[in-house]
Amino acid sequence: KMITQATDSTTAGVILGEVGWFEIETYIIERMLNYFGRLLRLQSSDPNRWVVVVAEEMFKRVADGLPSTEWAGVIVSMIQHYDLDPLDFMTMPKSTFKETIKKKVGEGAIADWKESLEGKSTLRFYRDAKDAPKWEPYLNGSKKAKLLFEARAGTLKVNWFTRNWGKPKSPVCPVCKMEAEDIEHLLIRCTGFTILREELVERLEDEGWLLDRSSTPFDQAKQLLGLGDWVAYDYRYITDFLATVWEKRAEQMSGNES
């Protein structure tokens, strides 16, 4: 949360998705499974062979889905969750086994991560945009980066998002006063920012990122936020745009109150 400058209410899945991490449990699970496999591979001459006696007995129970201890219970659940074959722990070569564990646990972690994003109304931009957690280079601790993160996460404090907080009570855009102010409105439709928006699009087009004006405002907003299909997108342009727009919006709101 410190890296992304996220609020306490921000969905953990978005934070992990932006910094390119999985839950810490994922890395612990991978190491536990590798350790369990390593125990079962100790040679009969190994001074720690006595450990294998315990491990092999546990393995039999794991293979039958009958945990004998709390630790064994965790192993059982992990083998089932990640669709692993218990026999691989005994028969697969060490190098292959390690890669198999890494691949299976990684695939499972991605599936769990995607599931954590489901059903979150604020993540309509984000849900289908990323195949897996990946570090995003715009995260530099600046105020501009914070604005982009919130826009991508669906937590940018536009009036539509804050309407239920009582400040303000109306979801209407404070700049153009024509419709509800959601992120699409701010980025694509607000007439108060038409000139700034056109300047942004021109800069992007000069760099080879062409905005499809015939697509929906939702899809155009996704592109501008770097959640579309543009390759090697330079976030500097959208962060500069958001910072300028947000400053002018604040000025307008201050004027409205006075």
Side-chain angles (χ1 to χ4, degrees), residues 103-224:
K103 180 174 182 292
K104 287 281 190 177
V105 173
E107 290 172 350
I110 290 173
D112 292 343
W113 172 74
K114 287 184 175 180
E115 186 178 347
S116 74
L117 303 179
E118 293 299 325
K120 308 287 187 182
S121 60
T122 57
L123 301 183
R124 54 203 185 95
F125 287 115
Y126 200 84
R127 246 192 318 267
D128 300 323
K130 298 186 79 168
D131 295 326
K134 180 176 73 70
W135 169 261
E136 298 296 347
Y138 74 85
L139 294 170
N140 57 16
S142 67
K143 292 181 179 179
K144 294 179 181 180
K146 183 176 187 291
L147 287 173
L148 180 55
F149 172 80
E150 290 179 346
R152 286 164 64 96
T155 59
L156 187 66
K157 294 176 181 61
V158 290
N159 282 358
W160 176 260
F161 183 69
T162 61
R163 70 192 187 284
N164 294 326
W165 302 354
K167 291 184 178 181
K169 293 181 179 179
S170 171
V172 174
C173 175
V175 179
C176 70
K177 301 178 178 63
M178 295 178 63
E179 61 180 20
E181 183 197 36
D182 56 15
I183 295 174
E184 291 152 69
H185 175 83
L186 185 75
L187 293 177
I188 304 299
R189 295 195 299 267
C190 184
T191 55
F193 303 127
T194 300
I195 295 176
L196 287 172
R197 187 179 304 112
E198 290 301 317
E199 291 174 349
L200 167 66
V201 172
E202 286 179 10
R203 290 193 187 99
L204 292 174
E205 289 178 345
D206 289 342
E207 297 292 336
W209 295 299
L210 305 179
L211 184 67
D212 183 1
R213 302 296 189 97
S214 65
S215 62
T216 65
F218 175 81
D219 287 331
Q220 291 181 51
K222 277 182 68 174
Q223 290 285 171
L224 292 179

Side-chain angles (χ1 to χ4, degrees), residues 7 16 48 64-65 71 81 91 94-95 100-101 109 120 161 189 194 206 222-223 231-232 245 248:
T7 62
L16 296 172
N48 293 317
D64 294 332
W71 193 81
H81 182 71
T91 60
K94 179 180 177 180
S95 58
T100 298
I101 293 295
K120 308 287 187 182
F161 183 69
R189 295 195 299 267
T194 300
D206 289 342
K222 277 182 68 174
Q223 290 285 171
V231 178
V245 162
K248 292 184 177 297

Side-chain angles (χ1 to χ4, degrees), residues 58 62 66-78 80:
M58 190 175 77
V62 167
L66 300 171
S68 57
T69 65
E70 182 179 351
W71 193 81
V74 173
I75 294 292
V76 170
S77 64
M78 289 190 295
Q80 294 172 341

Side-chain angles (χ1 to χ4, degrees), residues 1-6 15 18-21 135-136 138-142 145-146 149:
K1 287 184 176 179
M2 290 177 62
I3 294 172
T4 60
Q5 305 177 76
I15 299 172
E18 295 294 87
V19 300
W21 295 347
W135 169 261
E136 298 296 347
Y138 74 85
L139 294 170
N140 57 16
S142 67
K146 183 176 187 291
F149 172 80

